[in-house]
C-alpha cells in the first residue's frame, strides 16, 4: 500500500541519517562551508533527496553549501492575533520553484536570530526554506514555546505570508539551549511540526518535564561533548519524552558551537568555551542531515 511504501521510505532515510551522523562520534569536519559547493545538481528537493538516497552515507557531503542559490529577506514581520504582537525573523529561501519544507530556528538565552544565520543559509542551500526567529532572549521560555506554536500554526494556515513555495505540511522546529525547551513546549502545545531538532538542549525550568511528557512528534537531539560542556538539565529530554529520541553527541564540541552567526561579533566576550569553527561546521552539517531526513520523508497529511 501507499502507507507501507511511505513508512519504508521513512525508515530507509532514518537509517541512513543514523549512518551519516554516526561518523560525528569519531570527530569533526575540518573544512569551512564556504570552501566549496556540492557537486550534486538538482532542480528540486525531491530530486536531491533521490540522489542522496542513491549515494553512500557521508557527513562530509554536507559540510559544503548545497546546490541551490538562496534569497535572504531580513527582519520580516509576522503579525499574530492579539494586541501589538509582532514577531520578527530573517527568512532564507531556497531557489527551486516547487514547494519545500520550512525549518524554524530559535535561539537560546541572551542570543538572537543572527546567531543562527549561517545555519539558516546552509539549510536553504540544501533546499529547505529557513526562518531564524527572534523571540525574547531572556525568556520566559514557556511563553516563548507557546508563542512559537502560534507562529507555526499561523504559517501552516497562511504560508504565503512568507512565500508561496513553503509547504505548510512540512514544518520543522530547531531550537538551541533554552530555545530547545521552547521548541519542546511548542510541540506539547500542538505546534504543527513533522519533526524537531534540539541543538544541545537545556531544561529551562522545572516545569519542562510536564510538557515533554506530552510530545508525540519525532525528535532528534544534537548535543555537545559532555566532557566539554555539561548542559543544564539535558537529561530531562531523555527521561520524559515518551517516544524514542535520537541523539548524537559531537566530539569535542562546546555548547556555543551549536550557533553559527553569519558575521562574527567584534565585541564577543572571551570565555573558556569559545566557539570553534570546525565544530560549528559539524553542527551545521548534522542539522542539515537531520532536517533533510524529516523534510524529505515527513508530511503531516500522512500522520
Amino acid at each position: 500500500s501507499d502507507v507501507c511504501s511511505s513508512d519504508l521510505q521513512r525508515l530507509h532515510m532514518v537509517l541512513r541519517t543514523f549512518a551519516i551522523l554516526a561518523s560525528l562520534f569519531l570527530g569533526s569536519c575540518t573544512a569551512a562551508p564556504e570552501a566549496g559547493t556540492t557537486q550534486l545538481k538538482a532542480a528540486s528537493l525531491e530530486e536531491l533527496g533521490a540522489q542522496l538516497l542513491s549515494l553512500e552515507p557521508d557527513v562530509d557531503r554536507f559540510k559544503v553549501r548545497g546546490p541551490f542559490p538562496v534569497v535572504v529577506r531580513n527582519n520580516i514581520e509576522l503579525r499574530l492575533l492579539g494586541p501589538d504582537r509582532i514577531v520578527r525573523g530573517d527568512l532564507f529561501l531556497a531557489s527551486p520553484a516547487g514547494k519545500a519544507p520550512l525549518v524554524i530556528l530559535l535561539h537560546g538565552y541572551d542570543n538572537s536570530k543572527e546567531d543562527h544565520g549561517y545555519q539558516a543559509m546552509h539549510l536553504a542551500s540544501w533546499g529547505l526554506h529557513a526562518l531564524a526567529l527572534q523571540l525574547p532572549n531572556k525568556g520566559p521560555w514557556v511563553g516563548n514555546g507557546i508563542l512559537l506554536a502560534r507562529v507555526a500554526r499561523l504559517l501552516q494556515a497562511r504560508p504565503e505570508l512568507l512565500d508561496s513555495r513553503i509547504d505548510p505540511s512540512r514544518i520543522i522546529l530547531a531550537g538551541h539551549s533554552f530555545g530547545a525547551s521552547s521548541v519542546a513546549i511548542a510541540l506539547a502545545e500542538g505546534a504543527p511540526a513533522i519533526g524537531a531538532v534540539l541543538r544541545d538542549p537545556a531544561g529551562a525550568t522545572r516545569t519542562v518535564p510536564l510538557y515533554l511528557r506530552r510530545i508525540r512528534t519525532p525528535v532528534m537531539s544534537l548535543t555537545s561533548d559532555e566532557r566539554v560542556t555539561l548542559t543544564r538539565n539535558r537529561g530531562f529530554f531523555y527521561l520524559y519524552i515518551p517516544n524514542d529520541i535520537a541523539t548524537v553527541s559531537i566530539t569535542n564540541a562546546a555548547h556555543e558551537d551549536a550557533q553559527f552567526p553569519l558575521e562574527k561579533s567584534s565585541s564577543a566576550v572571551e570565555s573558556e568555551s569559545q566557539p570553534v569553527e570546525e565544530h560549528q561546521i559539524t553542527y551545521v552539517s548534522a542539522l542539515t542531515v537531520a532536517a533533510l531526513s524529516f523534510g524529505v520523508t515527513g508530511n503531516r497529511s500522512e500522520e
Side-chain angles (χ1 to χ4, degrees):
S1 70
D2 291 342
V3 173
C4 291
S5 175
S6 174
D7 289 344
L8 288 173
Q9 182 192 29
R10 180 172 296 191
L11 177 61
H12 188 192
M13 178 62 91
V14 169
L15 291 174
R16 292 182 64 82
T17 299
F18 276 107
I20 295 171
L21 291 181
S23 66
L24 300 181
F25 284 107
L26 305 178
S28 296
C29 303
T30 57
E34 66 266 30
T37 302
T38 181
Q39 298 301 306
L40 295 172
K41 303 295 181 184
S44 67
L45 178 61
E46 287 70 26
E47 186 177 327
L48 177 63
Q51 289 184 42
L52 291 171
L53 282 170
S54 71
L55 299 172
E56 288 299 315
D58 182 4
V59 72
D60 283 352
R61 182 170 291 115
F62 300 94
K63 71 185 179 185
V64 296
R65 290 280 170 83
F68 303 119
V70 178
V71 174
V72 182
R73 299 176 186 167
N74 290 321
N75 294 313
I76 64 163
E77 295 184 350
L78 292 171
R79 188 176 297 274
L80 302 174
L81 294 176
D84 301 321
R85 174 56 76 182
I86 297 175
V87 176
R88 293 179 174 84
D90 296 334
L91 180 62
F92 298 75
L93 292 168
S95 62
K99 290 187 180 295
L102 173 69
V103 183
I104 303 177
L105 299 121
L106 184 60
H107 57 81
Y109 178 83
D110 208 22
N111 294 118
S112 69
K113 58 185 173 58
E114 286 79 13
D115 290 316
H116 300 286
Y118 218 133
Q119 294 173 338
M121 176 74 76
H122 200 80
L123 287 166
S125 77
W126 282 94
L128 301 165
H129 305 306
L131 175 65
L133 203 61
Q134 182 70 54
L135 295 184
N137 67 358
K138 291 182 171 59
W141 304 103
V142 172
N144 280 359
I146 294 170
L147 190 56
L148 177 60
R150 291 178 61 195
V151 170
R153 283 193 287 269
L154 173 65
L155 294 176
Q156 182 195 41
R158 298 186 60 193
E160 70 277 2
L161 291 174
L162 294 181
D163 193 274
S164 61
R165 292 170 297 153
I166 287 171
D167 185 343
S169 70
R170 292 187 288 172
I171 295 175
I172 301 158
L173 305 181
H176 172 235
S177 190
F178 286 170
S181 281
S182 293
V183 163
I185 289 162
L187 295 177
E189 289 294 304
I194 57 172
V197 185
L198 310 181
R199 289 159 297 153
D200 211 26
T205 71
R206 293 193 177 277
T207 63
V208 168
L210 300 177
Y211 293 93
L212 297 178
R213 291 188 177 100
R214 293 160 49 193
I215 292 176
R216 298 295 183 269
T217 306
V219 174
M220 177 167 283
S221 177
L222 307 175
T223 72
S224 61
D225 191 328
E226 64 181 13
R227 299 170 302 177
V228 179
T229 303
L230 191 59
T231 306
R232 176 178 170 180
N233 295 326
R234 183 193 291 173
F236 282 178
F237 297 86
Y238 313 127
L239 287 172
Y240 298 109
I241 293 179
N243 297 334
D244 290 337
I245 174 172
T247 305
V248 171
S249 177
I250 298 176
T251 304
N252 298 324
H255 186 66
E256 291 81 359
D257 291 319
Q259 304 176 113
F260 205 157
L262 279 169
E263 297 182 8
K264 293 181 173 62
S265 172
S266 59
S267 60
V269 178
E270 291 294 327
S271 72
E272 294 181 357
S273 56
Q274 283 292 297
V276 177
E277 187 170 273
E278 67 179 82
H279 301 150
Q280 291 176 309
I281 293 164
T282 303
Y283 252 113
V284 77
S285 304
L287 172 61
T288 302
V289 172
L292 275 172
S293 178
F294 286 132
V296 170
T297 65
N299 188 314
R300 287 189 62 83
S301 64
E302 297 172 0
E303 297 172 2

